Amino acid sequence: MTMNYLRPADKRPKRATKFLIVVVFLVLIAFFFSGAIGSLGKNFLNSLGFPVWKAGLASSEKFYYLGSFFSSRIKQAEEIRVLKDELLLANLNLKEFESMAEENRNLKALLNREDNQEAISASVLVRPPQSLYDVFIIDIGRRHGLVGGEKVFVENVLLGFVDEVFNKTSKVKIVSSPGFEISAFIERVNLPVVVVGRGGGNFQASLPQEVEVEVGDFLVVPGLPQKLLGQIEEVEQTETGSFKKILFRLPVNLSEIRWVAVEIGAD
Amino acid sequence: MSFLLNKHFLRILANLLVLASVFILPWWTLFLLSIFFLFYFHLYLEAVLAAWFFDILYSTESWFLGMYWVTFVMFLIFLLSEFLKRKIIFIND
């Protein structure tokens, strides 16, 4: 006599579950050894990305001019008129700026404090919002003499510091990166303040209630005369609080920056 | 033209698109494309790999969770998508 028994339920983990366990394990290992893997990967991916970013930059310039080809003549004429007015105003301001710069150079020469820094220009390959993190990738690197820590400017605005240097490219950490702290002066009241980055070109600082600051006041970098860091956008205060929150913003639009100056030979 | 509908060919195309989003497109396209492909393809681990590439290229140490923030988030999305795919039942009439 034969007896039939029900087969016991298969308690073995399914193939997909096994696969997931292996994946979790591999990811944990990757996190554990992230330093070694990361440094190898960084050099490789940056050398891979360099021609792609260069090609992207070239094509974006081509598309920019292609777009203007299709815009209407009336709109273009209106833009030219506005730009001519702005140019006239800018030229007047430039004359004043040049005379002040000359005066500044003379004063520095009197005090034996001449600038000995050089700057090299760099093209921006990657900028926010392409990178979620507040970083730029620029097209100069180790072979151009960068070592890391150099200051990066756009016009007279301090934009950030060179964070990592690769052979042909460098990663620039923007001063408004979340959590990044930097000392500054509020120019009009000559008040030292530590500002903390909030991302996207924004900073914040806390000041006592009695300090008189206004929207539009400029923030300058100590030791770097005539170099701006930001401008006050908003002042938040409560009647009962002893501090007020000051919100600053970089005076440039991060997504429109195409060229930067990297200061080399700084003391 | 049937090779265009081949799932392996589609997966390679998807990988190229995701890789392009790492190098030349805004960061949010990486998330959008990855979430779509995570549900479209079986065990789409390439999304986590792409996020890791993204972190290696652009991240700085100061961020929360160190420099692998996007990888961590993408891995969570990967696990969530695999869990949801098993719960979702498609009925074909």
Side-chain angles (χ1 to χ4, degrees):
Chain A
M1 184 178 149
T2 57
M3 291 184 71
N4 291 325
Y5 295 98
L6 279 173
R7 289 182 66 187
D10 192 2
K11 295 278 170 91
R12 288 176 302 174
K14 286 178 186 168
R15 206 173 144 200
T17 315
K18 274 188 202 168
F19 185 76
L20 270 183
I21 291 167
V22 172
V23 167
V24 171
F25 183 69
L26 286 175
V27 169
L28 285 175
I29 287 176
F31 272 94
F32 191 69
F33 292 106
S34 56
I37 297 171
S39 63
L40 273 175
K42 272 176 199 173
N43 283 318
F44 173 70
L45 284 174
N46 270 282
S47 55
L48 190 74
F50 184 71
V52 179
W53 292 324
K54 275 280 186 191
L57 196 69
S59 62
S60 71
E61 280 171 8
K62 292 271 188 299
F63 280 114
Y64 178 80
Y65 291 115
L66 195 70
S68 64
F69 181 76
F70 291 107
S71 65
S72 77
R73 290 285 171 90
I74 296 167
K75 197 180 162 190
Q76 281 183 351
E78 180 62 23
E79 274 178 12
I80 288 167
R81 192 185 63 78
V82 172
L83 288 172
K84 272 184 178 172
D85 289 348
E86 282 180 8
L87 184 67
L88 188 71
L89 201 66
N91 275 333
L92 290 171
N93 287 337
L94 186 66
K95 299 280 181 220
E96 192 183 340
F97 175 77
E98 278 171 357
S99 72
M100 282 168 72
E102 183 60 36
E103 188 185 337
N104 189 270
R105 267 195 295 275
N106 291 338
L107 284 169
K108 275 185 179 171
L110 277 174
L111 295 166
N112 290 323
R113 286 195 57 183
E114 285 182 76
D115 288 333
N116 58 350
Q117 285 96 10
E118 279 179 51
I120 41 175
S121 64
S123 179
V124 177
L125 299 173
V126 177
R127 63 182 74 75
Q130 189 181 331
S131 62
L132 169 65
Y133 305 96
D134 260 21
V135 293
F136 278 119
I137 304 239
I138 55 174
D139 71 343
I140 55 171
R142 204 175 291 125
R143 62 161 62 172
H144 302 89
L146 300 196
V147 288
E150 290 88 352
K151 295 183 187 84
V152 179
F153 298 94
V154 55
E155 299 297 328
N156 64 335
V157 178
L158 175 68
L159 196 67
F161 297 88
V162 174
D163 190 48
E164 281 181 86
V165 184
F166 306 101
N167 200 23
K168 291 179 188 170
T169 58
S170 297
K171 195 188 287 180
V172 176
K173 190 174 183 177
I174 303 171
V175 283
S176 63
S177 295
F180 188 85
E181 288 188 6
I182 187 167
S183 300
F185 268 97
I186 299 175
E187 197 178 33
R188 193 178 57 83
V189 289
N190 208 21
L191 184 81
V193 64
V194 175
V195 292
V196 183
R198 298 175 71 211
N202 300 296
F203 312 91
Q204 71 172 47
S206 286
L207 287 175
Q209 283 280 18
E210 57 267 21
V211 175
E212 293 289 327
V213 288
E214 291 169 7
V215 172
D217 281 354
F218 285 105
L219 208 63
V220 292
V221 187
L224 295 170
Q226 298 168 357
K227 299 291 184 194
L228 291 177
L229 185 67
Q231 196 172 18
I232 296 181
E233 282 270 303
E234 206 178 322
V235 180
E236 289 178 5
Q237 55 188 353
T238 54
E239 284 182 15
T240 53
S242 48
F243 287 92
K244 54 184 167 188
K245 193 158 89 175
I246 318 289
L247 302 173
F248 305 92
R249 192 165 173 76
L250 277 170
V252 286
N253 189 349
L254 293 177
S255 58
E256 288 175 359
I257 295 169
R258 295 168 72 184
W259 294 92
V260 291
V262 183
E263 198 177 83
I264 53 167
D267 295 327
Chain B
M1 291 296 279
S2 62
F3 77 96
L4 285 175
L5 297 171
N6 182 310
K7 67 177 179 181
H8 296 298
F9 180 76
L10 284 179
R11 192 155 180 152
I12 291 166
L13 271 186
N15 291 347
L16 288 175
L17 205 58
V18 168
L19 206 61
S21 75
V22 171
F23 283 106
I24 47 176
L25 298 174
W27 65 269
W28 46 265
T29 55
L30 172 69
F31 277 91
L32 284 182
L33 288 170
S34 298
I35 290 167
F36 176 76
F37 294 138
L38 276 167
F39 281 93
Y40 189 80
F41 294 112
H42 177 64
L43 288 170
Y44 192 69
L45 263 171
E46 292 93 320
V48 183
L49 192 70
W52 189 56
F53 285 175
F54 186 92
D55 275 335
I56 281 177
L57 280 171
Y58 307 125
S59 78
T60 53
E61 297 283 349
S62 67
W63 271 69
F64 175 63
L65 279 174
M67 55 178 293
Y68 293 99
W69 188 82
V70 172
T71 315
F72 182 74
V73 171
M74 192 62 82
F75 186 63
L76 289 183
I77 295 172
F78 169 78
L79 291 179
L80 186 72
S81 71
E82 288 304 312
F83 173 76
L84 286 175
K85 276 195 283 190
R86 279 169 210 194
K87 295 286 170 195
I88 297 168
I89 300 167
F90 291 100
I91 298 167
N92 199 357
D93 288 332

